[in-house]
Every structure is written in structure tokens, then in C-alpha cells.
Amino acid sequence: MAVLPIRITGDPVLHTVASPVEEITDEVRSLVADMVETMIAAPGVGLAAPQVGVGSRIFVYRWQDDDDVLHEGVAINPELWLAPTPLGEPDEDEESEGCLSIPGERFPLRRSPAAILRATNLDGERYEVEAEGWLARIFQHEYDHLDGVLYADRLDHPHGKAAAKIVRKRGWGVPGQEWMPGLDDLEG
């Protein structure tokens, strides 16, 4: 296993729809192990294959809820079903999220409060997870990565404008930029 560099917004792989995984090979298993190690080192609660430069429909997640229940897994070729997203402005304390591909930043984003994830695991078995709250948010965030969408792309004004300004100020938004968890300090 290895910690992989994480691509920063502007890299084409982050803004392109990922391809389905045709077969679960040893290469896919190795990639997933590296993604889990990278996610933990970052630290993050989810990581999609495009974030480490691989245009495949895979994401991993690992999050412990307030009841100390650990939710973790790998989603290969996922499908995501969402409850309607509530209207109104997002709560800046409860609905802010960040992204390892826009490191060190957080902005409020309204998301669906519930989701159903259907995916394949590393054993080639289909499974389903019903999620609410933060876990549903994680699934939506990572699934967006597989469609070439970063959370900053979904931000409303004025947060979208602020995010775009930060990207420009840091010189991001162009191909070829990445950071290495454990080595680079990009927290602000």
C-alpha cells in the first residue's frame, strides 16, 4: 500500500466523467488499498479515484458517526438515489464541507438529507446502503467526483465566487497540480 498524491482542482481528470470498472482485478484491489491509505493520511472521510488521477468509477469512504459507529467501504460503479434537497440557504455550521482537491477550504452547500447507495464491493458483490445526514453527504460528494463535479461547482453566490477567488489566488485551476498527504501542508 502507498499514499498517493491528490490532484488539485483544474486537473482534467477531476473535471471528466469517470469510466466504469469492467473487471475487479488485482490492480483495482491495489488501487483501492492505496486510496484508503491516502484518505486516512490526508485525512478525509472519502476519496474518489479521479482525485488520485485515475478516471475510474470508484470511491472509498470511512466515517465514524456520533454513536461511534464506523461506516466504511468501497463503491465500485455506484448508483446513487437521493431524497429531494430542501429549499433554502445552507446552514454554515451544519452544512459546510471541504474537499481534498480544494485543500484547506470549507463552504456551505445544501445537499439531500438522505441517499441510497447501490454499488459493487471488491468481491464483486452488489450491495445497498441507506444513508442519512453526514453519510448521505459523503456519498453525494464522492459520487459527484465520478461525474467530474467538485463541490465548489455547486456553490451558490457568494460562496461560489469566494471559492473561485481562492482557486485563482493559490494558482490552482490549471492541470498538473497535486499535493501529498503527510508531506505537504495545504491547510490554508
Side-chain angles (χ1 to χ4, degrees):
M1 294 189 304
V3 173
L4 304 172
I6 297 175
R7 304 293 173 94
I8 293 176
T9 184
D11 194 292
V13 73
L14 293 172
H15 306 283
T16 304
V17 176
S19 300
V21 175
E22 299 298 326
E23 181 182 359
I24 299 171
T25 62
D26 287 343
E27 183 177 88
V28 168
R29 287 182 188 88
S30 179
L31 171 64
V32 167
D34 291 347
M35 287 172 61
V36 169
E37 189 168 336
T38 303
M39 173 183 61
I40 291 168
V45 295
L47 186 69
Q51 292 181 275
V52 294
V54 179
S56 295
R57 295 190 75 77
I58 303 170
F59 71 77
V60 297
Y61 61 95
R62 187 172 196 269
W63 171 71
Q64 191 163 344
D65 66 24
D66 292 338
D67 296 325
D68 291 329
V69 175
L70 182 63
H71 304 271
E72 63 182 337
V74 57
I76 300 171
N77 297 331
E79 300 170 7
L80 195 63
W81 305 90
L82 303 175
T85 301
L87 298 175
E89 295 296 317
D91 181 290
E92 292 199 30
D93 294 324
E94 299 294 322
E95 295 179 280
S96 285
E97 63 186 72
C99 179
L100 297 175
S101 291
I102 308 173
E105 302 302 326
R106 294 184 68 78
F107 291 98
L109 176 63
R110 178 69 38 114
R111 293 226 189 235
S112 173
I116 298 172
L117 172 69
R118 293 183 182 138
T120 301
N121 65 23
L122 283 175
D123 295 323
E125 300 164 341
R126 293 291 289 171
Y127 70 91
E128 180 176 297
V129 176
E130 293 184 27
E132 293 182 352
W134 200 254
L135 185 59
R137 178 177 293 275
I138 292 167
F139 289 165
Q140 291 168 76
H141 182 108
E142 300 309 328
Y143 189 86
D144 273 353
H145 276 298
L146 305 183
D147 286 339
V149 176
L150 275 66
Y151 89 109
D153 299 330
R154 294 190 177 278
L155 295 173
D156 291 329
H157 184 79
H159 303 293
K161 186 175 180 179
K165 184 177 180 179
I166 289 167
V167 167
R168 282 191 308 275
K169 181 180 176 184
R170 295 199 176 172
W172 297 341
V174 295
Q177 297 191 36
E178 60 189 27
W179 69 281
M180 186 62 125
L183 295 179
D184 296 326
D185 179 18
L186 295 179
E187 289 301 312

